Amino acid sequence: MVFTTAVNFIRARGPDEFWRKRKIFKIAAAFQGRKRNCYSIAIRYVHRALVYATKGRQLKKADMANLWETRVTAGCEEHGLPYADFREGLTKSNILLNRKTLADLACYEPHSFKALTNIAKQASVEGIAGLAKAPPLSGVRNRSNLK
Amino acid sequence: MSALKRVQQWATFARIWHVYDAKWQNPFQSSLLLKKYLMGMHKPIYHPMNDCGDHVIVINSKEIALPGDEWKKRVYFHHTGYPGGATWTLAWELHSKDPTMVIKKAVYNSMDGNLQRRYTMQRLHIFPDENVPEELMKNVSNQIRGIKPVPKRLDHYSEQEVKEFPKIIDYPKDYVLR
């Protein structure tokens, strides 16, 4: 029988028992108790840990997205604008910033973020026609008022 | 760190005190609102491991309003740990025993069960009426807007206002109101 999938390589024996086990022990080095010293126990926990690591890669992205959303929501509610209206207003006015950038602005650049909420308010209330009316913000430094 | 940056940091991480009037408010909807302030989720610097939550003083918890027939139907479960130690208390019974308990449990249950929850709850101060100790009240710098306007009872309107209220028809003289 010919196996064409890579799955079966998991069971394939290596050239030498020592090096095969050492690969596993290196991954299990930070475990506690017999999980790090006994091969037959270590291999089970290494498999489990690798499964967690695989799932965790997706979870980490979801967690960060949640955190950014919470921060942006907090930022735009400070200016009396719901999150959905804020994102809609930005999209309408063709400001295509992602959640990470918006969260960074909300956290570290409150003045720039307020300018964004002003634009979003105008756009979500009056459509693109209202964009020109967005009030200029005092205290924001940009290219036009730099000396 | 310059003096300006230092002050900015103090101002950013300072705990703010909010006051919330629970009169005629739904405690379960209010809890979602209060939770945000207690956990600091209303600040753009929020992070689960960042201790940036604020204090909230809830007043008039005696006059909360539960939706529908929840006073009769909502049941609070408690178990002492001993056999036969289970008790089930109706919402109106719990409220008559301790008028702060319904809203306290609503806020507690609205948060995730983690190690931080007990400490977050310590920042919630509930009072059954408007008598708040002066040393707490002097910290307050913000009032949280209620989730719905407090309705005015018919007997609180003056007779003049009731009489002048617009109506579609006058009842006939011989009409029997039942």
Side-chain angles (χ1 to χ4, degrees):
Chain A
M1 196 191 286
V2 179
F3 295 113
T4 51
T5 56
V7 175
N8 298 301
F9 285 110
I10 298 171
R11 298 293 301 162
R13 309 276 90 179
D16 182 26
E17 189 189 10
F18 175 79
W19 297 105
R20 196 181 72 232
K21 287 187 175 177
R22 207 180 91 125
K23 270 197 298 189
I24 300 302
F25 282 133
K26 282 191 91 165
I27 300 171
F31 294 175
Q32 286 187 357
R34 289 200 296 160
K35 280 184 239 173
R36 57 180 285 169
N37 296 325
C38 302
Y39 180 77
S40 63
I41 300 173
I43 186 73
R44 286 181 233 154
Y45 285 92
V46 165
H47 277 161
R48 185 101 308 260
L50 292 177
V51 170
Y52 284 141
T54 307
K55 288 179 179 170
R57 260 172 259 140
Q58 289 304 318
L59 287 176
K60 187 181 176 186
K61 292 177 182 77
D63 286 350
M64 289 311 288
N66 277 337
L67 177 65
W68 296 329
E69 215 158 286
T70 316
R71 283 185 167 181
V72 177
T73 308
C76 46
E77 278 175 5
E78 273 182 357
H79 304 296
L81 189 68
Y83 177 74
D85 291 6
F86 177 64
R87 292 308 297 271
E88 194 196 339
L90 286 189
T91 315
K92 272 183 187 170
S93 39
N94 204 24
I95 300 176
L96 306 174
L97 297 176
N98 61 6
R99 283 179 287 195
K100 180 185 186 333
T101 317
L102 288 174
D104 284 347
L105 287 177
C107 189
Y108 300 109
E109 298 283 338
H111 282 290
S112 313
F113 190 78
K114 191 180 177 189
L116 285 180
T117 57
N118 282 343
I119 293 169
K121 266 182 208 167
Q122 290 292 333
S124 66
V125 172
E126 300 180 30
I128 298 181
L131 277 182
K133 289 185 223 160
L137 202 69
S138 63
V140 171
R141 266 163 282 160
N142 56 23
R143 227 174 274 166
S144 64
N145 55 17
L146 259 184
K147 280 172 194 163
Chain B
M1 191 183 264
S2 70
L4 179 70
K5 282 284 171 190
R6 195 159 60 217
V7 173
Q8 191 187 23
Q9 169 130 347
W10 287 338
T12 309
F13 287 94
R15 291 199 197 283
I16 300 166
W17 285 65
H18 308 268
V19 67
Y20 181 73
D21 190 351
K23 187 175 185 178
W24 277 92
Q25 304 296 327
N26 180 344
F28 313 111
Q29 282 177 20
S30 307
S31 66
L32 301 176
L33 180 71
L34 300 182
K35 170 188 132 174
K36 261 198 330 198
Y37 288 88
L38 289 169
M39 293 168 68
M41 288 169 86
H42 65 303
K43 299 178 183 179
I45 57 166
Y46 171 77
H47 188 272
M49 292 173 79
N50 175 3
D51 188 14
C52 62
D54 288 346
H55 286 263
V56 176
I57 298 177
V58 177
I59 58 170
N60 289 329
S61 77
K62 197 186 264 179
E63 296 176 65
I64 51 171
L66 262 61
D69 55 356
E70 290 236 0
W71 283 121
K72 287 189 282 183
K73 299 289 180 185
R74 184 172 282 265
V75 177
Y76 289 93
F77 175 77
H78 180 256
H79 201 291
T80 60
Y82 289 100
T87 51
W88 288 267
T89 315
L90 295 172
W92 67 267
E93 284 178 302
L94 187 71
H95 196 64
S96 61
K97 279 179 183 140
D98 185 356
T100 64
M101 212 59 175
V102 172
I103 196 152
K104 187 179 172 187
K105 279 185 168 290
V107 175
Y108 186 78
N109 290 330
S110 72
M111 290 189 282
D112 290 338
N114 52 25
L115 291 177
Q116 207 54 43
R117 177 158 69 162
R118 299 287 173 108
Y119 300 104
T120 309
M121 283 302 287
Q122 286 179 354
R123 275 182 246 126
L124 177 68
H125 315 272
I126 312 176
F127 295 94
D129 42 28
E130 284 174 353
N131 300 327
V132 184
E134 188 52 39
E135 68 263 28
L136 295 189
M137 210 56 198
K138 74 182 178 197
N139 298 322
V140 170
S141 57
N142 181 37
Q143 180 173 11
I144 301 173
R145 189 185 290 271
I147 41 182
K148 64 173 186 179
V150 179
K152 197 173 171 184
R153 250 162 51 187
L154 183 59
D155 57 334
H156 288 180
Y157 283 96
S158 68
E159 211 166 295
Q160 177 82 8
E161 280 174 310
V162 175
K163 199 169 279 177
E164 283 176 3
F165 194 81
K167 52 187 171 179
I168 299 169
I169 53 153
D170 279 318
Y171 287 116
K173 285 256 165 46
D174 52 350
Y175 188 79
V176 181
L177 273 173
R178 276 194 290 185

